[in-house]
Amino acid sequence: MLVINVALPVPLARTFDYLLSDNANQAVVGGRVRVPFGHRQVIGIITAIHVRSKLAPDQLKLVTEVLDSQSLFSDSLWRILIWSISYYHYPAGKVLFHSLPVLIRRGKPAEIAPMWQWFATHKGSRTLLNSLKRAPKQQKALTALLSGPFYRHQVSDLQLDDAALQALRIKGLCNLRALPVVKDDWRTIFRVNSEHQRLRLNAEQTTAVGAIRSKDEQYGVWLLAGVTGAGKTEVYLTVLENILSKGKQALVLVPEIGLTPQTIARFRERFHAPVEVLHSGLNHQERLTVWRKVRLGESAIVIGTRSALFTPFARLGLIVIDEEHDCSYKQHDGWRYNARDLAVFRAREENVPIILGTATPALETLYNVQQNKYHQLTLGKRIGNAQLASQQLVDLKGQQLTNGLSTALVQKMRRHLEAGNQVMLFLNRRGFAPALLCHECGWIAECQRCDHYYTFHQQQHQLRCHHCYSQRPVSSQCSQCGSTQLVPVGLGTEQLEEALARQFPTVPVTRIDRDTTARKGALECFLAQVKSGGERILIGTQMLAKGHHFPDVTLVSLLDVDGALFSSDFRAAERFAQLYTQVSGRAGRAGKQGEVLLQTYYPEHPLLQTLLSYGYMDFALQMLEERRQAGLPPFTNHILFRAEDHDNNQAELFLDQLRQLLDDHPGHDKALLLMGPIPALAPKRCGRFRWQLLLSHPSRLQLQRLVTTILPLVGTLSQARKVKWSLDVDPIDS
Ligand code: ADP
Ligand code: ZN
Ligand code: ZN
C-alpha cells in the first residue's frame, strides 16, 4: 500500500492523503484519481506519491479508481502551476482544476480513446455455424462476424449480445482488437502559403524579425512596441514561419475582446497548418478536442484568450502576447493570476522566445526593459499614410455642462451625427467618482497631512485619503475661490447612457462594457449593430479600444481625463494614456478625417502635455519616474486583502483585526506599508459592501513570506467567518 497526496477541487489550501493498493502501479503525479470524499466520490489530482501520512493507515481511505497513467500536464506547466499555488496563495485543487478543460475535470479520458473492434479469429472463420445451433445468440453473433469485423459500440445496433460475443471469445472463435487512433501530422504538409501575396517588410520590421529569429531557439522576452497599424502582426507572422517550419508549435494570446475574425483569418491564410482558436463560444467538447490535439502536437497554432495559457503543448516553440498591456490578462475573480506574467514564466521554463506586442507597453514591462530583462524592438512608423486624428483639449472650468458633456462637445457630436457618422465616448472606468473638484476654478480637495488627493466616497459621503488613511466630511465650499459648486469627477457609463437617451432621443446608443457584454454573444451582437453603419453613439470603457475597426466613427471623446489624472488609483493615468493612444490611432480610418476631443479642467497638466506633444513612450517614462519616487509598483510589491459584507460594518472590522495581526507579527518590518482598511474604489457590488487592506513592500520575497506565515492565522480571527474575504497578489485595481 502506498500513500498519495491528492488535490481536490475544494476551497481548502491543503491536499488530502489516500491509500493506493500496490497493483495500481500506473498512478502518476499529475494524473487523476477518483476518491471517496465525505459521502461523495470526487475526482482529484495526485500531487505526490510515496508520502508519509500523519494519519494511521487504517484512518486513510482507499483510492477508488486511477484515471490516468500519464500526467495531464507538461513538466513546465506543472512547475508553473505548483509555483502559482504558493505565489497566489490559492488552493492547490482550485489552481490545478482551473487549468484543465471542464470535461477532463469531470473524468473524461485525456487520450482520444482507441476504437475496439470485434473480429473472427482464424479458428472462428473455419467453424461451421451449425455447430452452434444450441446457442442461437452465439450463432447470430458469429454469422455477423463472418461477414466482417465491427466496432464494440455497434454491438447493440446490430442487435447482438455482449455475453454471446464473450462466450465465442472464450471458445477462441473471435476476439477484440484496439485500432490505433490515426494521428495527423501537419509537419509533413506544412508550408507558408505562397498564393497569399507577400508583403515586403519595412526596415524596422526587418530588424525586429532578424533580432528575434537570431535567438529563436532560446528563452528571451521581446517587447515589440509599435503604434496600431505599424505592422506588429506582420512581424509575428514572419517570425512564426521559421518556428513552424521547424515543426514547433506557437501560442498566441489576445485580449478578451480582441479576438477578431480578421486576426484569425490572417493566421489561417498565411500557413498551411492547423490553427486552433480558444474562445468563450466553444462548448466543453470542442475545448476538450482542442486540448487533446495540441497536447499530441497535432495543432500548429493556438490563438486564445487568457486561459489558453494553460494548454499543454507537445512542442511549444514561441509565445506571442498581443496588446500585452491589456487588463483582461489578469483574472479578476477566483484565482487572480496574471496571464502575461505566467506566460513569461512559461516561456522561461520551456526555453522559448516570447513576444509582447503593444502600442502602449505596461509600465511594468518598460521597467523590465530598463532592467535589461526584456529587449525592446520598436516599430515607429505607421504603414501607408494613415492620418492621425486631430486632437483638441476643452477646458471645462466655468463652462456649462450637461451630464458631464461640455457645449463644445455636444455641438461637435451633433455635427458628426448629422453627417451620418458615429461618435464614441469613453469613460476610463465604470461608475464611481474619484475626486471632488471645484467647477469654477479647478481646485481639488486635497489631504491636509500628505499631498495626495482625497477620494470622494459617495456611499459614505466622505473624503478619504487612500494614502494616509485620514478622512473628513465633504466640504461645502472650495477652499481656493469659495464657490459652492463642488462636483465629483467621474461619471458612470450607465448614468451617461441614460443622459444621452434624453439628449439625443432619436440616435441609437450602444453601451459596451463588462456589464453589458457579460452575456454570451452580446458583444458580437453589439459589434454587428455598430458595423451596420448609420448615426450612432457608442459608450465604452477601455475594453472597446482595441482590436476592432469602426470605420464610421469620426469623433472620439474622452470625457473623464481628470478622473484619471487625479484618481487615487495610481494606475488610472497609465490606463488613460493607453486608451488615448489606442483611440486616437483609430478615429477616422477608412479615409474619413477623425477628431479626438479631451475634456479637462487642467489643460496645462504636465502629464497631459507630455502625452499630447511627445506621445505615449515619453509619458510612460515620466510616469515610471513618478512611481519610483512615490514607492509604487513596479518599484514595490502589493498584496491586497479584500473583504465583503452585507451591512458595511463587518468587513471593515475584519480588516481591522487583520491589520492588528500584521502590526503585531514579528515578521513585520519597517519597510512594510499597510494602507486601510478603506472602502474599495467600486465600494458596492451585487448588494455587498467591499473593503480592502493593501500591503506594500519593496521586497517581493519578504512580503510573500509574511503573507505565508500570517495566512493560517487569518481564519482564526473572530470576524473571519462573518465576511467573504480573498487576497489578490499583484492587484491591478487597488
Ligand atoms: P498592427 O498589428 O501593428 O496593428 P498590422 O500588422 O495589422 O499592424 O499591419 C497594419 C496593416 O498594414 C495591415 O493591413 C497589414 O497587412 C499592412 N502591412 C503590415 N506590414 C506591411 C508591409 N511591410 N508592407 C505593406 N503593408 C503592410
Ligand atoms: Zn493623506
Ligand atoms: Zn474654486
Side-chain angles (χ1 to χ4, degrees), residues 428-430 432-437 444-445 451-457 464-467 488-490 560-576 602 605 607 623 626-627 632 680-682 692 732-734:
N428 45 310
R429 310 201 55 142
R430 290 186 300 169
F432 67 91
L436 191 70
L437 177 143
I444 296 175
D451 42 354
H452 278 76
Y453 295 106
Y454 273 127
T455 296
F456 175 59
H457 286 270
R464 285 176 183 263
C465 173
H466 281 220
H467 191 73
V489 195
D560 187 21
V561 177
D562 302 327
L565 293 179
F566 302 105
S567 172
S568 60
D569 176 0
F570 64 90
R571 286 189 177 80
E574 175 188 359
R575 303 249 169 85
F576 157 73
Y602 284 84
H605 193 287
L607 279 175
M623 273 304 293
E626 286 189 10
R627 294 249 190 115
L632 289 167
L681 282 174
Q692 63 190 39
I732 62 165
D733 46 4
S734 47

Side-chain angles (χ1 to χ4, degrees), residues 145-178:
L145 283 167
L146 288 178
S147 64
F150 49 80
Y151 292 111
R152 193 165 59 177
H153 65 259
Q154 295 173 312
V155 170
S156 57
D157 289 346
L158 294 169
Q159 296 182 310
L160 300 176
D161 187 73
D162 269 319
L165 283 159
Q166 291 298 351
L168 290 175
R169 189 184 187 188
I170 290 164
K171 293 179 187 164
L173 303 183
C174 72
N175 209 346
L176 269 175
R177 65 184 165 206

Side-chain angles (χ1 to χ4, degrees), residues 437-443 477-483 485-486:
L437 177 143
C438 170
H439 182 61
E440 297 295 325
C441 75
W443 169 83
Q477 270 192 326
C478 168
S479 60
Q480 190 169 287
C481 77
S483 160
Q485 280 210 57
L486 297 183

Side-chain angles (χ1 to χ4, degrees), residues 13 22 75 78 132 197 249 271 273 363 381 405 436 504 542 583 602 621 627 637 677 697:
D22 277 329
D75 289 348
W78 184 254
L132 291 170
Q197 209 191 337
Q249 302 165 284
F271 305 113
L363 295 192
K381 288 192 203 69
L405 308 179
L436 191 70
F504 295 90
Q542 192 98 33
V583 300
Y602 284 84
L621 294 177
R627 294 249 190 115
N637 304 282
H697 200 289

Side-chain angles (χ1 to χ4, degrees), residues 570-630:
F570 64 90
R571 286 189 177 80
E574 175 188 359
R575 303 249 169 85
F576 157 73
Q578 290 167 344
L579 177 62
Y580 167 76
T581 309
Q582 304 275 345
V583 300
S584 58
R586 289 190 189 281
R589 283 179 157 197
K592 293 181 185 176
Q593 170 69 32
E595 278 189 272
V596 179
L597 196 141
L598 296 136
Q599 299 197 128
T600 173
Y601 286 88
Y602 284 84
E604 70 287 353
H605 193 287
L607 279 175
L608 202 52
Q609 287 300 329
T610 304
L611 180 63
L612 267 57
S613 320
Y614 302 102
Y616 179 82
M617 281 298 187
D618 283 40
F619 167 90
L621 294 177
Q622 196 173 326
M623 273 304 293
L624 203 52
E625 180 52 26
E626 286 189 10
R627 294 249 190 115
R628 193 180 65 75
Q629 285 171 12

